[in-house]
Amino acid sequence: MPATSPTDQQRRRRRTNRLLALAAGATAVGALTAAAALPASAGESHQPGGHFPGRYQDVQLLSFNDLHGNLEPPSGSSGRVTELQPDGTTKTIDAGGVEYLATHLRKAREGEKYSITAAGGDMVGASPLISGLFHDEPTIEALNELDLDVTSVGNHEFDEGARELSRLQNGGCHPTDGCYTDTEFQGADFPYLAANVLDEKTKKPILKPYWVWKKKDVKVGFIGVTLEGTPDIVSADGVKGLVFKDEVETINKYAKVLQKQGVKSIVALIHEGGFPASTAYNYDCDAPGAGDGISGPIADIAKNITPQVDALVTGHTHAAYVCTIPDPSGKPRMVTSAASFGRLYTDTTLTYDRWTGDIARTAVKSANHVVTRDVPKAPDMTELIGKWNTLAAPIGNRAIGYISADIPNTGTESPMGDLIADAQLAHGKELDPRTDLALMNPGGVRAGLTYAAKGSEGDGVVTFAEGFTVQPFANTVNLQDFTGAQLIQVLKEQVSGSNAAAPKILQVSSGLTYTLDLTKTGADRVVTDSIRLNGAAIDPSATYRVATNSFLAGGGDGFPTLAQGTNDLVGSDDLTALEKYLTANSSPTTPIAPPKADRITVVR
């Protein structure tokens, strides 16, 4: 069936309806009543005579998270999902791309009289060139076309600060770069929710804390939060003047507010997530019992959020799961995440009880679905991508290097991470020949490089657009001096302190080697005696010149010792360093080979 595109009139109607729904959320009144178990006739049932709606109404909730501006199908492993087969084996499926996501969502909505589409944050930020080059205006336009109703903010919504986030919400040309087309940017048709992000001076949320969807007599409230630890993983400039509050306390606070307004059906959009025991998107994380197959921050958050909240749409960890984690009263509650990059979407059925105004949770069901590429492309998305690609082409199509095979961004130590660390070491030595090593945070490596040509550039050619996808943050490469003792402490901070529960293993430049023993706990997982630089043990009293990006140099990602460096020297941005390294070390006849990723010995 051909994909259909919304008309301008339909878009205007949607925007008006959302504004009306938002106003309704501020005026409704009522009180909380516990949901009853459903009779066999629950769903689209009607009262005798057919003149009045029935007690129960199924509401479709479609959701996704962590799109990160991936309008085009992601390449390599970033564009695949793993499916668990009945016999216990797995297979991979190519997935993602908004042309296909639009088709899948529109097909899923067919025949659904009550349908909401929501997201769990990180819609923008760390985006490929087609979006990132234009400060993510293309992604907001695509989300408008996707008929997104509401989303929480994520940490990446703050990459360019609160003022830029406000522009994405409300529209207007970029204050520095101006307008990219003849039409002024209109902003998001949907509300961004930021209940736990407060202005440091006013102590009030910088955007709306909640939003109410309403159709006829059915009302569903949404509360949106990002992780409290956002300042630890975003540049200081991005969160300047902001305060990030506890997720549970904030959601519980606004659940009471909604209850007082008569909104008893509540969904929390939380940009924080968990880690299922399997990476398969269809893994049953309720085995052997409810929520037993998932760990991480969302497990504790879900167990402490008030039972007044009926479902949680989550994100941040880029994992796929559909779990029923018990709420504080012990009642199962749906918690979902749809991986990342538009590869999956979640379809959840919320059964609304008109008598109580609440969700009958005994009837809630949910499943993740693959955004396969075997469906027709949505024509409006193809047109949108074409428009922005035309504008980006003069910059994005330029060749910056050549590779002999895929350079993946997978594993504790990834070949792509090693390549970036080597590039930053080389750039550091240009700035100061005394530079000894480079360290790269894994979260700053957004993708790998794929050997197969994405366009007409030819196999093995690395374009600027592909490099931008790998390193989109425009961090600078900074040099600092550290003692050997501090360097050892930095390596131990990968697996201790704030990184103890979810280790952040730094990608290291050539010459630095050590053993990571995962059979141990805490800082002991980094074996001190194994740390070597060019074969020599680290001398705790010696001084080492270290290259990192500006985010790490500020102590980001839970590495406070990296903020204690001395003799600072700031170089070029990290993408420039990668481009210069590829240009200097590869050619069409001598492409660069993937690093072996053998610098960290992992014991399991």
Side-chain angles (χ1 to χ4, degrees), residues 52-222:
F52 303 98
R55 175 174 178 179
Y56 298 103
Q57 175 63 57
D58 283 347
V59 178
Q60 179 188 61
L61 174 62
L62 301 176
S63 59
F64 55 96
N65 50 276
D66 296 277
L67 180 64
H68 290 290
N70 278 266
L71 304 184
E72 297 178 289
S75 61
S77 60
S78 297
R80 303 186 190 106
V81 294
T82 302
E83 182 178 61
L84 186 64
Q85 304 296 295
D87 62 0
T89 62
T90 61
K91 74 172 184 178
T92 58
I93 305 171
D94 290 339
V98 295
E99 294 164 295
Y100 304 108
L101 177 60
T103 299
H104 280 279
L105 291 178
R106 290 165 186 171
K107 182 66 176 178
R109 294 184 189 118
E110 289 180 2
E112 297 289 343
K113 297 179 181 179
Y114 293 76
S115 182
I116 312 167
T117 303
D122 274 7
M123 295 295 97
V124 301
S127 305
L129 187 78
I130 185 179
S131 187
L133 185 63
F134 306 105
H135 299 279
D136 283 310
E137 290 181 20
T139 295
I140 297 299
E141 289 187 1
L143 293 170
N144 288 343
E145 296 291 325
L146 283 174
D147 202 14
L148 181 64
D149 287 299
V150 61
T151 183
S152 68
V153 295
N155 54 286
H156 280 286
E157 263 80 21
F158 295 94
D159 283 349
E160 296 189 51
R163 183 172 295 180
E164 174 63 5
L165 173 57
S166 177
R167 187 184 74 89
L168 292 181
Q169 176 71 86
N170 300 310
C173 296
H174 190 270
T176 302
D177 295 343
C179 291
Y180 300 110
T181 67
D182 294 337
T183 304
E184 183 175 85
F185 175 58
Q186 296 299 302
D189 286 354
F190 52 90
Y192 262 113
L193 304 182
N196 69 330
V197 186
L198 312 184
D199 183 282
E200 192 174 44
K201 294 180 180 178
T202 67
K203 308 302 181 185
K204 294 181 179 180
I206 62 169
L207 294 172
K208 296 183 182 299
Y210 61 88
W211 176 80
V212 179
W213 180 90
K214 184 177 182 181
K215 183 171 183 178
K216 297 182 180 179
D217 58 342
V218 176
K219 295 178 292 186
V220 181
F222 290 83

Side-chain angles (χ1 to χ4, degrees), residues 75-77 80 403 405-407 448-454 460-462 466:
S75 61
S77 60
R80 303 186 190 106
I403 56 177
D406 287 353
I407 302 182
L449 292 174
T450 304
Y451 177 78
K454 189 174 183 180
V461 179
V462 180
E466 292 167 331

Side-chain angles (χ1 to χ4, degrees), residues 471-476 550 573-575:
Q471 290 203 276
F473 294 112
N475 289 316
T476 56
S550 49
D573 67 83
D574 49 12
L575 178 54

Side-chain angles (χ1 to χ4, degrees), residues 57 175 195 230 242 246 250 271 275 315 324 367 385 387 410 427 429 463 472 531-532 549:
Q57 175 63 57
T230 292
L242 303 178
D246 180 81
T250 301
H271 192 70
F275 304 97
T324 54
I385 289 171
K387 177 186 75 173
T410 55
H427 183 63
K429 285 184 175 295
T463 64
I531 304 173
R532 296 283 189 276
N549 61 40

